[in-house]
Amino acid sequence: MSTVISVRINEKIKEELEKHGINISQEVKKFLEELYIKVKAKEYVNKWIEELKDIKPSEEGFSTKSIREDRESH
């Protein structure tokens, strides 16, 4: 589903951009889609930070010990 928005810009700016072959509608759409992606990414990162804030870090040497145990079990 999509919706229509309208934006007013200075007529000289519009003419200059069109003179250089820039599709204003396409550029605005692309900008808003990229902005949406950035906003959603920030939202997810903040959610992950919130979920991980109460998890304590592994003890020092945990990964080395875990790998050694895994190797020795084969």
Side-chain angles (χ1 to χ4, degrees):
M1 183 187 278
S2 64
T3 188
V4 176
I5 63 169
S6 64
V7 178
R8 288 192 178 274
I9 63 169
N10 184 295
E11 188 174 347
K12 289 181 181 181
I13 293 172
K14 178 181 180 282
E15 290 171 358
E16 189 68 24
L17 292 174
E18 288 175 341
K19 183 173 91 174
H20 290 281
I22 296 172
N23 182 330
I24 298 169
S25 177
Q26 183 179 16
E27 292 298 321
V28 170
K29 181 180 176 185
K30 184 170 80 172
F31 172 80
L32 292 175
E33 288 171 347
E34 290 172 358
L35 181 60
Y36 167 79
I37 291 169
K38 290 176 184 177
V39 166
K40 292 305 286 182
K42 186 174 182 176
E43 187 177 286
Y44 284 123
V45 168
N46 288 337
K47 181 181 174 189
W48 295 332
I49 289 171
E50 184 66 27
E51 289 180 9
L52 294 174
K53 75 177 185 175
D54 295 328
I55 297 176
K56 65 177 185 167
S58 300
E59 61 189 53
E60 190 170 332
F62 170 78
S63 59
T64 304
K65 180 181 168 187
S66 179
I67 292 170
R68 186 169 290 122
E69 287 175 358
D70 187 51
R71 287 181 181 162
E72 291 173 358
S73 69
H74 292 287

